[in-house]
Amino acid sequence: MVAYPADFYKVVSTATTLADNVTMIKFLARQGDRHSLVGMCMGEQGIISRVLGVRAGSVFTFASAIAGEETAPGQVTAQELRNVYRIERVDVATRVYGVAGDPVAHSLSPAIMNAAFRRENVNAVYLALHAKTLKDLLTCVREIPIHGISVTMPYKEAILHHLDNTDSHTTKIGACNTVVRAQDGNLYGFNTDASGIVRPLERRLNTLEGARILVIGAGGAARAAVFGLKERGSEVYILNRTAGPAKKLAHQARARIVKRADLKKLAFDVIINATPVGMGNTRDTPLQDKEINSRYVFDMIYDPGETRFLKLAKERGAQVIPGIEMFAHQAARQFEIWTGKPAPWDEMLRVVLLALQERSNRSTSSK
Ligand code: NAP
């Protein structure tokens, strides 16, 4: 290409893995000083190169004027590049963070974390990392390098084997949702889901010490809730569809098991739904109305914003806590771990509620 004089040389490939972006970014970093280059990878896996390419030396990047007018696969709108990723501020010093999972296209994390970085003037950008394998993700983390990741399905447990250290809380839960890449390249794992449960409750109850709390479910999120609440001195009860995981968790955390048949006789300060029952358009609820005897009901599900379970709980006179508060608080804790600054929690909740509202408007108008 250099044989032909040009204002810019544009090199575009299609990324089929996250690591393909590393190849492009390294190429731009190596050649960007010598030639006027524009480089990026197409495809969903290449979206990160549309932001990081500029950081590595691409003179400019491409975006669509409006949604629906994309001219290449993976192209994002100019508005998203500017408002969410703050492309005009991305430079060599910009730290890179992201949410890693499969799938991640609908994650609300880029909206909430980039808003927090903007509000607190942190020179950082947060991307969606669609990792089809853990190996691909780890290559990207090491090579770009990425300073921190929010880990989501299906890698929360598997990533533990690739970390250099984890805090004791994360080891007990057996799942990691937050990774920090230290200066020396070592990877440290944390779990912030417990903060996502404990913080909204502490804002409402005077103390969690001695509070009677029922956790429905015994999966990863329930484990984070049970251990987090036990650390605060709560009296924790577990109800799960399958006996085995509930027994194991109750034994490990010194919590108690509850039989569904006994629920009508029991009263709690808080009931927490840590199962996917009630997600999406279903009318299913994890408990029937007569089984809801509690001052507060907390549903981890945030889509829909108000589940049928929360509606039932309101009818029973309980105060309700929607899952989006958990989402915002666990993200706020990640922000604190990564930056050492207090998180702009109110702004984070505002942005994520807005994003959920926009999503719900889009799905209503497309019906
Ligand atoms: P998980 O590890 O797969 O555990 C799922 C739990 O739900 C298990 O205890 C399972 O019981 C139970 N369950 C699944 N389907 C059920 C059904 N039809 N009826 C009764 N119980 C059922 O999932 P997770 O990661 O813990 O997530 C649980 C929920 O929390 C999900 O809805 C997730 O979206 C939500 N969550 C929200 C946030 C947030 O920020 N708001 C964060 C994390 C998770 P068995 O043992 O019988 O299979």
Side-chain angles (χ1 to χ4, degrees):
M1 290 171 85
V2 174
Y4 297 89
D7 291 336
F8 304 103
Y9 296 98
K10 180 180 168 196
V11 180
V12 178
S13 63
T14 294
T16 56
T17 61
L18 287 175
D20 286 343
N21 293 279
V22 176
T23 308
M24 176 59 75
I25 285 159
K26 286 194 166 173
F27 167 74
L28 290 168
R30 222 172 33 241
Q31 301 287 338
D33 286 346
R34 289 195 274 158
H35 310 287
S36 232
L37 290 178
V38 176
M40 73 206 68
C41 303
M42 291 189 296
E44 196 218 341
Q45 299 263 294
I47 291 175
I48 64 168
S49 72
R50 295 179 179 274
V51 179
L52 299 182
V54 177
R55 179 172 169 271
S58 181
V59 182
F60 56 85
T61 190
F62 286 73
S64 67
I66 52 168
E69 289 201 354
E70 296 82 7
T71 54
Q75 200 175 77
V76 290
T77 62
Q79 192 191 24
E80 194 177 350
L81 272 187
R82 285 203 164 114
N83 296 355
V84 179
Y85 299 112
R86 293 179 299 152
I87 187 84
E88 281 136 319
R89 297 210 158 199
V90 170
D91 58 29
V92 282
T94 303
R95 286 175 161 248
V96 182
Y97 297 86
V99 52
D102 183 16
V104 285
H106 291 97
S107 172
L108 294 169
S109 296
I112 195 171
M113 296 307 286
N114 284 310
F117 289 144
R118 179 193 297 119
R119 169 57 70 95
E120 292 305 308
N121 262 321
V122 178
N123 187 4
V125 66
Y126 185 100
L127 306 162
L129 305 164
H130 183 180
K132 289 187 186 154
T133 65
L134 205 45
K135 186 166 174 269
D136 185 30
L137 171 66
L138 292 168
T139 304
C140 208
V141 169
R142 294 209 163 89
E143 299 283 327
I144 281 185
I146 295 177
H147 290 87
I149 44 174
S150 311
V151 185
T152 181
M153 300 277 278
Y155 301 124
K156 281 183 167 187
E157 284 96 24
I159 198 149
L160 285 173
H161 306 292
H162 301 272
L163 302 175
D164 296 291
N165 210 347
T166 51
D167 65 341
S168 61
H169 181 72
T170 306
T171 314
K172 273 197 275 185
I173 295 170
C176 160
N177 76 336
T178 310
V179 173
V180 175
R181 185 184 181 280
Q183 290 268 332
D184 58 6
N186 280 349
L187 301 180
Y188 298 99
F190 300 86
N191 190 311
T192 67
D193 280 339
S195 299
I197 293 291
V198 166
R199 288 183 179 190
L201 290 176
E202 282 179 339
R203 289 167 78 97
R204 289 166 169 94
L205 281 79
N206 277 341
T207 173
L208 286 176
E209 176 100 43
R212 286 165 58 84
I213 303 185
L214 171 68
V215 176
I216 312 169
R223 290 181 66 83
V226 170
F227 282 111
L229 293 166
K230 283 296 291 182
E231 276 171 20
R232 297 293 192 287
S234 305
E235 216 175 286
V236 181
Y237 297 79
I238 301 166
L239 173 71
N240 193 46
R241 177 178 60 177
T242 316
K247 272 192 191 152
K248 187 175 164 199
L249 175 56
H251 176 71
Q252 289 174 333
R254 295 167 190 267
R256 298 180 200 182
I257 304 258
V258 165
K259 289 203 192 99
R260 180 121 191 211
D262 294 335
L263 276 188
K264 286 182 190 154
K265 296 179 286 186
L266 296 172
F268 299 96
D269 293 304
V270 185
I271 296 179
I272 301 172
N273 176 30
T275 76
V277 179
M279 217 173 201
N281 294 324
T282 158
R283 288 180 58 79
D284 296 342
T285 54
L287 298 181
Q288 300 305 314
D289 60 349
K290 293 213 168 52
E291 296 169 321
I292 308 174
N293 301 310
S294 181
R295 287 162 60 207
Y296 292 92
V297 172
F298 192 160
D299 199 335
M300 289 195 187
I301 292 170
Y302 58 80
D303 193 6
E306 188 178 58
T307 57
R308 200 168 122 71
F309 184 44
L310 290 187
K311 286 185 185 139
L312 269 188
K314 271 188 186 168
E315 285 165 22
R316 295 279 293 169
Q319 297 194 47
V320 300
I321 309 172
I324 203 66
E325 280 200 36
M326 173 178 179
F327 181 77
H329 274 290
Q330 61 79 31
R333 181 73 196 117
Q334 291 186 328
F335 179 92
E336 290 163 8
I337 290 172
W338 289 332
T339 65
K341 294 179 174 215
W345 135 257
D346 289 345
E347 170 70 357
M348 294 172 86
L349 185 63
R350 188 189 70 77
V351 166
V352 84
L353 283 172
L354 197 69
L356 259 188
Q357 188 58 51
E358 279 171 6
R359 183 182 287 182
S360 139
N361 293 348
R362 271 200 304 275
S363 81
T364 316
S365 65
S366 66
K367 275 178 193 161

